Amino acid sequence: MSLSSAIAIAQSAFSTTAQQTATVSKNIANSGNADYSRRMAMLGTTPGGAQVVSIYRAQNEALLKQNLIGISQSSAQSSLLSGLEIMKSALGGNDYESSPSTYLSAFRNSLQTFASTPGNATIAATVVSDASDLANSISKTSAAVQDLRLDSDKKIAEEVANLNRLLAQFETANNAVRQATAAGTDATAALDDRDKILKQVSELVGISTVTRANNDTVIYTSGGTVLFETLPREVTFAPKSAYDATVTGNGIFIDGVPLAPGSGADTNAQGKLAGLLQLRDDIAPTFQSQLDEMARGLVTLFKEGGLPGLFTWSGGTVPAAGAVQPGLAASLSVNPAAKANPFLLRDGGFNGVVSNPDGNAGYTVLLDGFVTAMDGDMAFDGATGLDATSSIMEFAASSIGWFEQIRSGASTADDNKAALLARTQEALGSVTGVSIDEELSLLLDLEQSYKASAKLISTVDAMMASLLEAVR
């Protein structure tokens, strides 16, 4: 080997070591960045020695796709559970002490006490007060349900705008990847940016990807609709300004195709948007229909002469049996006449139909009838998701049971999906993430390589000095 060849090899070693060291340093600097994939300098042998021929970016397409699915499923489940927890708080928390079922039981007990002592004015006033609390509970719960729907609608509008913004960013990142790949230049940074955006998109909507020539990526929704192909597809949504039981929310459209909501407590939704649609258009309206049926049942059970008696509402009629009257719960109230004269509940007279004209203090026919009716079966609309035939007491209890079953199921599913996502991210991180121990070990190897190159230069220098001394 000539001295000039030795110097060239040493110079090549220095250059290669410098590039490898820069790569390792970049890895260490990004060790805490979950969106960074580890780089490795790939070496090749040339006449001048080993050289860095490319920078390899650690990746695993199968794990990345599984991670995107896990993010979508966990995000949908989390958004659903969040809404259910808000509704649970409105119902009083763990014991549901503010729920209509709780107030209905208190009212029924007061009514039973009044039936046993029908001449007691204090108890009569207590019954009317408990009836007012019951009506307020139903109307306030109805308002909370509609507030939840409105809040979900606003979140949908925000996330749709966010999704369109992310798709525009994805176009820029995807173009950078395509151009770098086609030119044969380093595309690792652009790939990191693109994968980061994909993760953010998957939080909002379930996606799958297909990679074409030059690393060009096409995005589809989990339902098969094109979300991005060269250009982003438009995602549209028209929010509502207010909600009540008669208002139906607008859908989310991706390139004109509606996005389907999820279903079930362990929702099959992928992405936050589908979870919010399920909350707004399925769970909340079903619970609202149950409240409307409770309110209709009270108006029906306490009617007098074919018109509302103790309980009334804005419609001022007794709705048909077995069919939901949308929005009835929101305006349910106690007849003002009962507040002025609580004994109307005992004697009748809300609509001129007096059953106890003499005001007999021991008269209990109406009161006993009301208690019996509350414990007896009546027809409810099967669209509520509960038994179509039951007592109003059982119906109210079943409503809370239905809600808690969904909430607890959603909570369990949220834990499971979060755990599955964590395991998937851990598996992906073991392939693409940075291990400080490995990088430091590699630095030590590079240090030895540098020392060897420096030793070679030192030796060549000494030989050159000896050669020059000999010539003199």
Side-chain angles (χ1 to χ4, degrees):
M1 177 187 295
S2 66
L3 292 180
S4 60
S5 297
I7 291 174
I9 292 173
Q11 288 176 330
S12 175
F14 277 132
S15 176
T16 300
T17 302
Q19 292 182 64
Q20 289 179 290
T21 302
T23 301
V24 172
S25 298
K26 189 173 185 179
N27 286 341
I28 293 175
N30 286 277
S31 60
N33 184 357
D35 298 312
Y36 176 86
S37 290
R38 179 173 179 258
R39 276 41 161 187
M40 289 166 281
M42 308 304 293
L43 302 180
T45 302
T46 66
Q51 291 184 348
V52 175
V53 295
S54 65
I55 301 298
Y56 174 76
R57 175 178 177 267
Q59 57 186 341
N60 186 306
E61 288 298 320
L63 283 176
L64 176 60
K65 290 183 177 182
Q66 184 59 46
N67 187 48
L68 295 178
I69 293 173
I71 291 173
S72 293
Q73 292 175 339
S74 182
S75 178
Q77 192 69 54
S78 178
S79 64
L80 180 65
L81 178 61
S82 178
L84 293 172
E85 291 293 350
I86 291 173
M87 196 67 244
K88 179 180 178 179
S89 296
L91 292 168
N94 291 334
D95 295 327
Y96 292 101
E97 59 267 20
S98 300
S99 69
S101 176
T102 300
Y103 284 102
L104 184 63
S105 295
F107 169 67
R108 194 251 181 224
N109 292 337
S110 293
L111 188 64
Q112 180 70 63
T113 302
F114 188 28
S116 63
T117 54
N120 191 311
T122 300
I123 294 178
T126 299
V127 173
V128 174
S129 176
D130 287 346
S132 296
D133 291 342
L134 171 59
N136 288 336
S137 172
I138 292 176
S139 61
K140 287 181 179 179
T141 302
S142 176
V145 169
Q146 299 309 320
D147 285 345
L148 178 61
R149 295 184 70 205
L150 179 60
D151 183 61
S152 298
D153 198 77
K154 290 179 179 178
K155 288 180 180 177
I156 290 172
E158 292 172 359
E159 298 302 354
V160 165
N162 189 26
L163 178 56
N164 283 317
R165 178 183 59 80
L166 288 171
L167 290 175
Q169 292 177 0
F170 185 84
E171 180 184 6
T172 301
N174 190 58
N175 287 339
V177 171
R178 288 168 53 200
Q179 292 166 6
T181 303
T185 57
D186 185 12
T188 54
L191 284 167
D192 276 354
D193 289 341
R194 193 174 69 175
D195 284 354
K196 177 181 178 180
I197 296 170
L198 276 176
K199 292 175 186 178
Q200 293 173 323
V201 170
S202 69
E203 289 183 12
L204 303 179
V205 61
I207 60 173
S208 61
T209 60
V210 174
T211 302
R212 305 189 298 193
N214 290 327
N215 262 331
D216 181 29
T217 292
V218 180
I219 308 176
Y220 299 91
T221 68
S222 54
T225 304
V226 176
L227 190 60
F228 179 92
E229 183 177 12
T230 307
L231 296 172
R233 298 301 190 260
E234 184 180 18
V235 184
T236 59
F237 173 71
K240 296 282 188 177
S241 59
Y243 271 88
D244 61 35
T246 64
V247 174
T248 300
N250 291 318
I252 302 170
F253 294 89
I254 300 175
D255 202 21
V257 179
L259 178 68
S263 63
D266 182 359
T267 183
N268 60 3
Q270 291 191 27
K272 184 182 294 184
L273 289 174
L276 289 171
L277 283 177
Q278 180 183 355
L279 192 64
R280 188 198 69 180
D281 297 339
D282 179 14
I283 294 176
T286 299
F287 191 48
Q288 176 65 58
S289 70
Q290 295 170 4
L291 295 171
D292 287 334
E293 279 293 80
M294 281 184 231
R296 184 189 63 79
L298 289 171
V299 172
T300 300
L301 291 176
F302 290 86
K303 67 183 178 180
E304 180 184 280
L307 294 172
L310 176 63
F311 293 98
T312 187
W313 64 296
S314 60
T317 63
V318 177
V324 172
Q325 177 66 49
L328 194 159
S331 63
L332 183 69
S333 63
V334 168
N335 196 318
K339 296 179 180 180
N341 180 11
F343 282 115
L344 287 177
L345 186 59
R346 181 195 67 187
D347 302 333
F350 288 106
N351 300 304
V353 183
V354 180
S355 298
N356 184 25
D358 297 330
N360 186 344
Y363 186 77
T364 62
V365 174
L366 289 181
L367 296 176
D368 288 338
F370 292 144
V371 172
T372 300
M374 291 185 71
D375 293 331
D377 286 345
M378 61 184 301
F380 292 101
D381 195 327
T384 60
L386 305 178
D387 288 342
T389 303
S390 68
S391 71
I392 193 170
M393 303 298 296
E394 293 170 338
F395 187 87
S398 296
S399 176
I400 293 300
W402 172 88
F403 178 83
E404 174 56 22
Q405 183 177 21
I406 290 179
R407 191 212 61 79
S408 60
S411 179
T412 300
D414 183 62
D415 291 341
N416 292 339
K417 290 176 181 178
L420 179 60
L421 174 60
R423 288 196 293 270
T424 303
Q425 290 176 331
E426 182 180 358
L428 180 61
S430 67
V431 175
T432 64
V434 176
S435 169
I436 293 294
D437 291 340
E438 291 182 11
E439 300 302 320
L440 291 178
S441 176
L442 182 55
L443 272 181
L444 292 175
D445 291 340
L446 292 174
E447 181 183 4
Q448 295 304 316
S449 176
Y450 180 86
K451 288 180 177 180
S453 300
K455 182 65 175 177
L456 177 59
I457 290 292
S458 177
T459 301
V460 170
D461 180 63
M463 293 176 69
M464 289 289 289
S466 297
L467 181 60
L468 291 173
E469 184 67 26
V471 171
R472 291 194 192 128

